[in-house]
Amino acid sequence: PNCEIAKRTLNEKHVNYEFIDAEDMTDLTRQYDIMSAPTLVRINEEGYDKVVNVSNIINFIDTVTRT
């Protein structure tokens, strides 16, 4: 259910994203050290940001989409 909440928030804020099932993409799960769901990974110039749990993801989305 928390993954669905995160996806709904991303859609409502018109954020482009790619949903990855951690069980299907174990190489990416290991690469980004993903230990729980939902986890949002945003690639940037310095590497990546990793945000864990739905409330932190919503706060992060609100921060980066604020205009």
Side-chain angles (χ1 to χ4, degrees):
N2 287 333
C3 290
E4 293 302 318
I5 294 168
K7 289 193 294 187
R8 184 175 64 239
T9 303
L10 288 162
N11 289 330
E12 288 172 355
K13 297 288 186 169
H14 307 288
V15 175
N16 293 325
Y17 68 95
E18 180 178 352
F19 174 79
I20 295 173
D21 187 321
E23 292 178 357
D24 293 338
M25 303 291 285
T26 56
D27 55 332
L28 289 175
T29 303
R30 282 190 298 275
Q31 178 180 350
Y32 294 107
D33 193 31
I34 295 172
M35 303 298 283
S36 64
T39 298
L40 181 139
V41 175
R42 182 178 78 156
I43 309 302
N44 59 41
E45 296 84 28
E46 293 84 34
Y48 63 93
D49 298 313
K50 183 170 74 171
V51 185
V52 179
N53 89 39
V54 72
S55 60
N56 290 335
I57 290 170
I58 290 170
N59 289 336
F60 182 78
I61 293 166
D62 287 342
T63 300
V64 298
T65 60
R66 195 170 289 144
T67 56

